[in-house]
Amino acid sequence: MEHKASVLENLAEVRAMIKRHKRNDALFAAIGLICLMLGLITLMLLFWQLIADGYPKFNLDFLTEFPSRRAARAGLLSAWVGSLLVMSVTFLTAVPVGVAAGLYLEEYAPKNWFTDLIEINVSNLAGVPSIIYGLLALGLFVYMLDFGQSILTAGLTLGLLILPIVIVSTREAIRSIPLSIREAAYGVGATKWQVVYDHVFKYSYGGILTGIIIGMARALGETAPIITIGALTFIAFLPPSPITLEPPFLNFEWLSSGFTVMPIQMFNWLSRPDHAFHVNAAATGALIIIVTLLMNGTAIWLRYKIRKNIKW
C-alpha cells in the first residue's frame, strides 16, 4: 500500500509538472504572438502612412518623368532605371559566385581548419554593416581599380554585400537534402558531379532561389554603401542603353555611367524644405516597400511550389 501511495504521489507530481510546463508554453506562445502582432501593426501603420502621404504621386507620370527642381514635375525615371541596372550587375556578379562557393564549400571542400576559417568569416561577413562595404568599395573599386563612381562600382559593391547571404542560404539549402538521396545516386553509379548537379542542386533549388531573392531585396533598399561610393543625388539623364540596334547589339558604356537609385532619390527629396518634395519621397518609399514585399512574397511562393513538386 505504501508503495502504491508513493507511485500515485509521484504520478500526481509528474502530472502537475506537465500541466505547469504546458501553461508556461502557452504563455510564451501568447507573448511571442503579441510581440509579432505589435511589430506587424507598427509596420502596417507606417506603410499606410507612406501610401496616404504619397498617394497624389501614384501615377504613370511619376515613373516616366526625370527629377526636377519643381516638385510637381519631378519624377522617378532616372532613379528606377538606375536601380534596375545596378541590380542587374549585382545579380550577375553575386549569384554565380555565391552559389558556386556554397556548392564547393558544402560538397567538395575538405573538412579542415582552413575551410572552417572560411565558413566562420563568411558567416560573420553576413552581419557586417553595409557602410563597411561602401568604404571597402571606395578604396578598392573607385580609387585602386579606377572604376569611378559608376554603375559597375555600385553593382559590385552591392554584390559583395549580398554575397555572404547567397553563400549561407545555398549551404543551408544543400544541407536540407537527405543523405539518402546522395547514397542512392552513388549506388546506381553516378559520379560526384552527377550527384551534385542532377540531385543535390535540383532538390535544393527552391531554397537557393529564396536566398537569392531575399538578398536582392536587401540590396534594392541599401543607401549607405551607394552614398559612400558617390552616387548622384540629382540626375536628369539616363545611362546609355545596354542593347543597340547595330551589331554586336550590346553596349557596355552604361557600366561607366553616372547613376542614382531610388533610395538616394528619396533621400534627396526628404532633404528639401518644400512639403511637396516630401510627398514625392513618401511615394518613392511606398514603391520600394511594395517591390521588396513582392520580391519576398515571390521567394516564399517559389519555395513552396518547388518543394511541393519534390517527391522523395
Side-chain angles (χ1 to χ4, degrees), residues 94 96-126 163-175 182 192-193 196 200-201 208:
V97 175
V99 173
L103 282 172
Y104 174 76
L105 289 173
E106 199 63 33
E107 295 293 329
Y108 289 95
K111 303 303 179 182
N112 53 37
W113 67 269
F114 184 69
T115 54
D116 290 340
L117 182 63
I118 293 176
E119 292 174 6
I120 292 172
N121 280 278
V122 168
S123 299
N124 289 336
L125 285 173
L163 183 60
I165 300 175
V166 176
I167 294 175
V168 171
S169 62
T170 299
R171 298 192 64 192
E172 292 299 326
I174 292 173
R175 287 175 182 173
R182 298 173 174 85
K192 179 71 172 179
W193 171 246
V196 172
V200 174
F201 179 74
I208 295 173

Side-chain angles (χ1 to χ4, degrees), residues 123-147:
S123 299
N124 289 336
L125 285 173
V128 171
S130 59
I131 187 64
I132 303 300
Y133 288 95
L135 294 172
L136 170 65
L138 183 65
L140 178 62
F141 299 136
V142 176
Y143 294 131
M144 186 177 297
L145 299 180
D146 199 26
F147 289 160

Side-chain angles (χ1 to χ4, degrees), residues 248-286:
F249 305 109
L250 292 177
N251 177 26
F252 296 100
E253 293 181 3
W254 59 278
L255 291 172
S256 59
S257 174
F259 72 100
T260 190
V261 292
M262 290 192 291
I264 300 296
Q265 187 61 67
M266 179 181 175
F267 171 77
N268 181 28
W269 282 333
L270 281 174
S271 63
R272 303 291 185 89
D274 190 353
H275 176 72
F277 283 110
H278 297 174
V279 174
N280 294 350
T284 305

Side-chain angles (χ1 to χ4, degrees), residues 41-241:
I41 291 172
T42 302
L43 177 62
M44 292 303 298
L45 289 175
L46 293 173
F47 182 50
W48 176 256
Q49 186 64 44
L50 277 178
I51 293 179
D53 292 342
Y55 178 76
K57 300 299 294 185
F58 289 162
N59 51 60
L60 188 60
D61 290 340
F62 185 63
L63 297 176
T64 57
E65 295 292 336
F66 286 105
S68 172
R69 291 180 174 83
R70 298 182 180 180
R73 297 176 54 185
L76 203 61
L77 178 60
S78 56
W80 73 258
V81 170
S83 291
L84 181 62
L85 295 177
V86 170
M87 288 298 102
S88 299
V89 176
T90 300
F91 181 87
L92 293 175
T93 54
V95 172
V97 175
V99 173
L103 282 172
Y104 174 76
L105 289 173
E106 199 63 33
E107 295 293 329
Y108 289 95
K111 303 303 179 182
N112 53 37
W113 67 269
F114 184 69
T115 54
D116 290 340
L117 182 63
I118 293 176
E119 292 174 6
I120 292 172
N121 280 278
V122 168
S123 299
N124 289 336
L125 285 173
V128 171
S130 59
I131 187 64
I132 303 300
Y133 288 95
L135 294 172
L136 170 65
L138 183 65
L140 178 62
F141 299 136
V142 176
Y143 294 131
M144 186 177 297
L145 299 180
D146 199 26
F147 289 160
Q149 299 164 332
S150 61
I151 292 175
L152 177 61
T153 299
L156 292 175
T157 303
L158 296 180
L160 288 176
L161 176 67
I162 71 170
L163 183 60
I165 300 175
V166 176
I167 294 175
V168 171
S169 62
T170 299
R171 298 192 64 192
E172 292 299 326
I174 292 173
R175 287 175 182 173
S176 67
I177 306 303
L179 183 61
S180 58
I181 298 296
R182 298 173 174 85
E183 293 175 346
Y186 285 127
V188 296
T191 63
K192 179 71 172 179
W193 171 246
Q194 288 173 330
V195 172
V196 172
Y197 180 75
D198 293 327
H199 299 280
V200 174
F201 179 74
K202 288 188 176 180
Y203 285 141
S204 60
Y205 180 71
I208 295 173
L209 189 61
T210 300
I212 291 171
I213 296 176
I214 291 175
M216 293 294 293
R218 178 189 175 183
L220 178 65
E222 284 292 344
T223 307
I226 303 299
I227 291 179
T228 305
I229 63 174
L232 301 175
T233 57
F234 182 87
I235 177 172
F237 61 87
L238 294 179
S241 175

